[in-house]
Protein backbone atom coordinates (compact mmCIF):
# COMPACT_ATOMS: atom_id res chain seq x y z
CA UNK A 1 0.00 0.00 0.00
CA UNK A 2 2.83 2.39 0.80
CA UNK A 3 4.47 1.85 -2.58
CA UNK A 4 1.18 2.59 -4.33
CA UNK A 5 0.58 5.67 -2.21
CA UNK A 6 4.08 6.92 -3.00
CA UNK A 7 3.41 6.51 -6.73
CA UNK A 8 5.50 3.41 -7.39
CA UNK A 9 2.51 1.57 -8.83
CA UNK A 10 4.45 -0.92 -10.95
CA UNK A 11 6.50 -2.10 -7.99
CA UNK A 12 3.45 -2.11 -5.73
CA UNK A 13 1.50 -4.32 -8.11
CA UNK A 14 4.47 -6.64 -8.65
CA UNK A 15 4.86 -6.97 -4.88
CA UNK A 16 1.17 -7.82 -4.44
CA UNK A 17 1.32 -10.36 -7.26
CA UNK A 18 4.28 -12.06 -5.56
CA UNK A 19 2.45 -12.07 -2.22
CA UNK A 20 -0.67 -13.69 -3.68
CA UNK A 21 1.43 -16.23 -5.56
CA UNK A 22 3.09 -17.14 -2.26
CA UNK A 23 -0.23 -17.69 -0.50
CA UNK A 24 -1.53 -14.29 0.61
CA UNK A 25 -5.26 -14.95 0.57
CA UNK A 26 -6.89 -11.87 2.08
CA UNK A 27 -8.82 -10.21 -0.73
CA UNK A 28 -10.43 -7.73 1.69
CA UNK A 29 -6.99 -6.27 2.36
CA UNK A 30 -6.80 -5.44 -1.34
CA UNK A 31 -9.68 -3.00 -0.86
CA UNK A 32 -7.42 -0.58 1.03
CA UNK A 33 -7.88 2.96 -0.33
CA UNK A 34 -4.14 3.44 -0.82
CA UNK A 35 -4.31 0.73 -3.50
CA UNK A 36 -6.70 2.81 -5.61
CA UNK A 37 -3.95 3.74 -8.14
CA UNK A 38 -3.53 0.03 -8.91
CA UNK A 39 -7.13 -0.61 -9.91
CA UNK A 40 -7.50 -2.13 -13.37
CA UNK A 41 -7.59 -5.46 -15.17
CA UNK A 42 -4.39 -6.86 -13.66
CA UNK A 43 -5.44 -5.83 -10.15
CA UNK A 44 -8.94 -7.28 -10.63
CA UNK A 45 -7.42 -10.60 -11.72
CA UNK A 46 -5.14 -10.53 -8.69
CA UNK A 47 -8.06 -9.89 -6.36
CA UNK A 48 -9.97 -12.78 -7.96
CA UNK A 49 -6.95 -15.05 -7.46
CA UNK A 50 -6.71 -14.04 -3.79
CA UNK A 51 -10.45 -14.69 -3.34
CA UNK A 52 -10.13 -18.14 -4.94
CA UNK A 53 -7.23 -18.97 -2.62
CA UNK A 54 -9.22 -17.77 0.38
CA UNK A 55 -12.20 -19.90 -0.64
CA UNK A 56 -9.96 -22.95 -1.10
CA UNK A 57 -8.40 -22.40 2.34
CA UNK A 58 -11.87 -22.17 3.87
CA UNK A 59 -12.93 -25.40 2.12
CA UNK A 60 -9.81 -27.18 3.36
CA UNK A 61 -10.45 -25.90 6.90
CA UNK A 62 -14.04 -27.17 6.83
CA UNK A 63 -13.08 -30.49 5.21
CA UNK A 64 -10.50 -31.06 7.93
CA UNK A 65 -13.10 -30.53 10.66
CA UNK A 66 -11.81 -27.12 11.62
CA UNK A 67 -15.12 -25.66 12.79
CA UNK A 68 -15.75 -28.50 15.26
CA UNK A 69 -12.15 -28.35 16.44
CA UNK A 70 -12.62 -24.67 17.28
CA UNK A 71 -16.13 -25.15 18.60
CA UNK A 72 -17.82 -23.01 15.96
Amino acid sequence: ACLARDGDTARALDTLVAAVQRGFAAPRALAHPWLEPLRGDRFDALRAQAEAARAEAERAFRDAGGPSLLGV
Side-chain angles (χ1 to χ4, degrees), residues 1-47:
C2 292
L3 291 169
R5 185 171 187 213
D6 286 343
D8 194 350
T9 56
R11 189 168 161 210
L13 195 50
D14 288 345
T15 300
L16 288 172
V17 166
V20 170
Q21 288 175 343
R22 288 181 174 91
F24 179 78
R28 290 184 189 152
L30 298 176
H32 194 286
W34 285 4
L35 299 178
E36 187 62 34
L38 306 181
R39 305 282 187 250
D41 292 342
R42 188 173 176 211
F43 186 83
D44 291 344
L46 181 65
R47 191 166 48 198

